[in-house]
């Protein structure tokens, strides 16, 4: 367009006509700007005189991102919040890890994994090149584990206590947030049952055990929502819902209950699928009470009475008619999960071992169980456990 205007101007001169342009100062002048920039650089270099190289370095700073050289000096611990590369770069500049945000973002964008930098706390070094800083942020060894670990098999009340101790958020806040599991991300269908029993409808079972790094100002609701999200993501990856519905003809909620029972009863991971099979056999095949002492223990915990060894439970406690989770008086599965099972327990409930077992008992101090089909076999296993020092006799 500029070339055409220039050509028109030349023609006007040749014809002796005056040139008229509106808004000459606001018109686009790419060539003019380039010429001015070139002239300014030329003048600047001329002023610098014999220090031509120094002048070049100073001028170059106007066009390139400032960066440090090398792998850095003094160690420094830096916490990165969730955010864009620019926000991460700003944090690193403030900690004097990198010299400029522009250098960092450029290095991150050039690294194939640069967009995978995760929030967390890292062991870095001051005055690193942006390229080295990006590489270190992508190294798992540089990450400081300041997370909160929730072990498998903890009840919701136990999880609240752990979270409260680590974060300072009151237990009551967690109890309040947990009153509406659906608001925390539990889909409606998870509370459906196929055995014509009522679902507990509580958060129990949906707080996935893992190590979490919560945001500094996370609320109780925020933390529980993250844990529920991890549960949903894990069971989705396992294809848990479709698998148990099609292969076991039970609802996902019933399978979750079984996972929580086996998590509480199995002494070793290898026994999880077998304990799950016993629960399915007794609840659905034989339609008999499970007689799992762990459900009584759960009821005692809900009443703030603490846990008891099964051998120390009284008949009144085992057969308490007020216990909605009882497996002594009622046939089939209890009201809901009795803890929050881990992935191995979920897998055991999803793909239980093959067998007709109706009984099991821990037979040695490693926690290994022996499984039986008949009462006579079970009695023999109990005698074996007693010989091995297990307090049952």
């Amino acid at each position: 367009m500029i070339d055409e205007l220039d050509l028109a101007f030349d023609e006007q001169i040749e014809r002796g006509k005056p040139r008229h342009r509106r808004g000459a100062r606001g018109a686009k002048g790419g060539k003019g700007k380039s010429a001015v920039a070139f002239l300014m650089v030329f003048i600047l270099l001329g002023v610098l005189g014999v220090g031509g190289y120094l002048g070049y370095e100073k001028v170059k700073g106007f066009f390139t991102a400032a960066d440090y050289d090398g792998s850095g000096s003094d160690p420094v611990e830096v916490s990165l919040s969730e955010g864009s590369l620019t926000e991460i770069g700003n944090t690193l500049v403030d900690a004097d890890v990198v010299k400029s945000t522009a250098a960092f973002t450029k290095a991150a964008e050039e690294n194939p994994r640069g967009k995978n930098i995760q929030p967390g706390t890292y062991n870095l070094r001051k005055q690193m090149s942006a390229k080295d800083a990006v590489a270190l942020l992508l190294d798992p060894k540089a990450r400081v584990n300041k997370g909160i670990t929730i072990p498998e098999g903890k009840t919701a009340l136990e999880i609240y206590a752990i979270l409260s101790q680590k974060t300072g958020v009151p237990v009551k806040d967690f109890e309040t947030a947990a009153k509406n599991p659906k608001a925390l991300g539990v889909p409606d269908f998870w509370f459906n049952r196929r055995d014509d029993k009522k679902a507990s409808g509580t958060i129990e079972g949906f707080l996935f055990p893992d190590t979490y790094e919560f945001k500094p100002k996370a609320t109780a609701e925020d933390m529980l929502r993250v844990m529920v999200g991890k549960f949903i993501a894990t069971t989705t990856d396992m294809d848990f819902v479709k698998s148990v519905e099609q292969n076991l003809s039970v609802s996902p909620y019933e399978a979750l209950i079984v996972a929580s029972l086996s998590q509480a009863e199995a002494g070793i991971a290898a026994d999880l699928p077998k304990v799950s099979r016993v629960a399915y056999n007794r609840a659905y095949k034989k339609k008999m009470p499970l007689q799992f002492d762990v459900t009584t223990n759960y009821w005692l915990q809900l009443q703030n009475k603490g846990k008891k060894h099964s051998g120390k439970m009284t008949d009144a406690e085992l057969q308490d008619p007020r216990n909605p989770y009882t497996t002594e008086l009622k046939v089939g599965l209890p009201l809901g999960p009795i803890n929050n099972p881990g992935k191995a327990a979920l897998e055991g409930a999803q793909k239980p071992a093959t067998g007709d077992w109706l009984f099991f008992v821990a037979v040695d101090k490693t926690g290994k169980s022996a499984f039986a089909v008949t009462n006579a076999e079970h009695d023999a296993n109990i005698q074996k456990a007693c010989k091995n020092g297990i307090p049952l006799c």
Side-chain angles (χ1 to χ4, degrees), residues 207-287:
L207 301 177
F208 193 77
D210 201 350
T211 297
Y212 296 92
E213 285 194 33
F214 300 110
K215 295 179 181 179
K217 295 183 180 180
T219 64
E221 183 177 349
D222 293 335
M223 288 183 262
L224 297 186
R225 189 185 298 277
V226 169
M227 297 181 72
V228 169
K230 181 67 174 181
F231 171 86
I232 298 300
T234 301
T235 51
T236 299
D237 289 343
M238 295 169 59
D239 201 19
F240 187 84
V241 172
K242 183 178 179 180
S243 177
V244 299
E245 287 179 336
Q246 293 186 351
N247 300 330
L248 301 176
S249 296
V250 300
S251 72
Y253 193 69
E254 292 163 77
L256 178 59
I257 294 172
V258 170
S260 73
L261 294 172
S262 62
Q263 183 77 76
E265 288 281 10
I268 61 174
D271 285 343
L272 288 167
K274 293 182 179 180
V275 175
S276 291
R277 175 52 68 187
V278 171
Y280 286 129
N281 285 346
R282 292 180 75 97
Y284 299 103
K285 188 174 181 180
K286 294 296 183 180
K287 299 188 182 302

Side-chain angles (χ1 to χ4, degrees), residues 39-103:
L39 180 60
M40 291 296 293
V41 172
F42 181 78
I43 293 172
L44 181 57
L45 288 176
V47 171
L48 292 173
V50 266
Y53 177 75
L54 179 60
Y56 168 73
E57 288 298 314
K58 289 185 178 180
V59 173
K60 186 176 71 171
F62 289 106
F63 302 98
T64 60
D67 198 1
Y68 290 124
D69 291 325
S71 58
S73 56
D74 298 334
V76 61
E77 189 176 280
V78 180
S79 294
L80 301 179
S81 301
E82 189 172 356
S84 66
L85 289 176
T86 299
E87 291 169 323
I88 293 173
N90 290 340
T91 301
L92 296 176
V93 169
D94 290 341
D96 196 25
V97 172
V98 298
K99 196 168 186 178
S100 71
T101 299

